[in-house]
Amino acid sequence: MKHAISWFEIPATDIDRAQQFYEAVFQVKLTNMDFDNMKMRAFPLDDPMDGVGGTIIDTGGFHKPSATEGPLLYLNGNPDVQIFLDRAQAAGATVMVPKTKIGEDYGYMAIILDSEGNRIAFHSVPEKYLQP
């Protein structure tokens, strides 16, 4: 198993607001993947066979944002969690846990409350693991 996660879905109650938030934080363009019964915006994925993909999703209630319940998703915050934390705050996020060192071999993490009321975390690896 190369990745423990293959796909994720972040709940949204206002798909356009959520799209604007995540595009601002990650400085990417999300792709519209709407279906009859759900609205989805997909994060870009270079190689579907070798990466982790995911969406922001509005199913009208099946997926529910939560600040306290359910799994905590850690999104890629490389090369520095603080960059993503600053962008998230500028886009309206609330910081729940500021940039925190996990350990010499584990890097840094931070947790925010996103535009939809979800707890979302960022993780960055230690600098020694980043390729020049």
Side-chain angles (χ1 to χ4, degrees):
M1 177 185 326
K2 187 169 185 175
H3 302 287
I5 297 172
S6 64
W7 186 259
F8 61 87
E9 295 175 341
I10 299 172
T13 54
D14 182 327
I15 198 75
D16 295 325
R17 177 181 60 206
Q19 179 176 357
Q20 289 175 346
F21 177 83
Y22 282 97
E23 286 180 344
V25 171
F26 288 99
Q27 298 184 337
V28 297
K29 181 71 176 151
L30 302 182
T31 303
N32 183 327
M33 293 180 56
D34 288 354
F35 296 95
D36 290 340
N37 59 346
M38 68 182 76
K39 298 175 186 172
M40 299 173 73
R41 302 294 184 273
F43 287 88
L45 184 58
D46 292 333
D47 182 355
M49 297 302 292
D50 191 39
V52 175
T55 64
I56 300 162
I57 187 167
D58 180 355
T59 55
F62 182 76
H63 293 78
K64 295 179 183 171
S66 178
T68 59
E69 298 178 25
L72 179 57
L73 178 64
Y74 281 76
L75 299 175
N76 186 337
N78 289 317
D80 183 352
V81 161
Q82 192 64 48
I83 294 167
F84 297 89
L85 197 57
D86 292 345
R87 289 179 192 158
Q89 283 184 283
T94 301
V95 175
M96 297 179 79
V97 177
K99 181 179 176 180
T100 303
K101 188 173 190 172
I102 303 167
E104 291 300 321
D105 290 328
Y106 299 102
Y108 294 86
M109 56 80 67
I111 302 173
I112 62 163
L113 195 61
D114 76 0
S115 64
E116 304 306 294
N118 294 298
R119 283 178 311 149
I120 298 291
F122 301 115
H123 174 258
S124 61
V125 299
E127 288 182 29
K128 65 184 179 181
Y129 295 120
L130 296 174
Q131 296 179 0

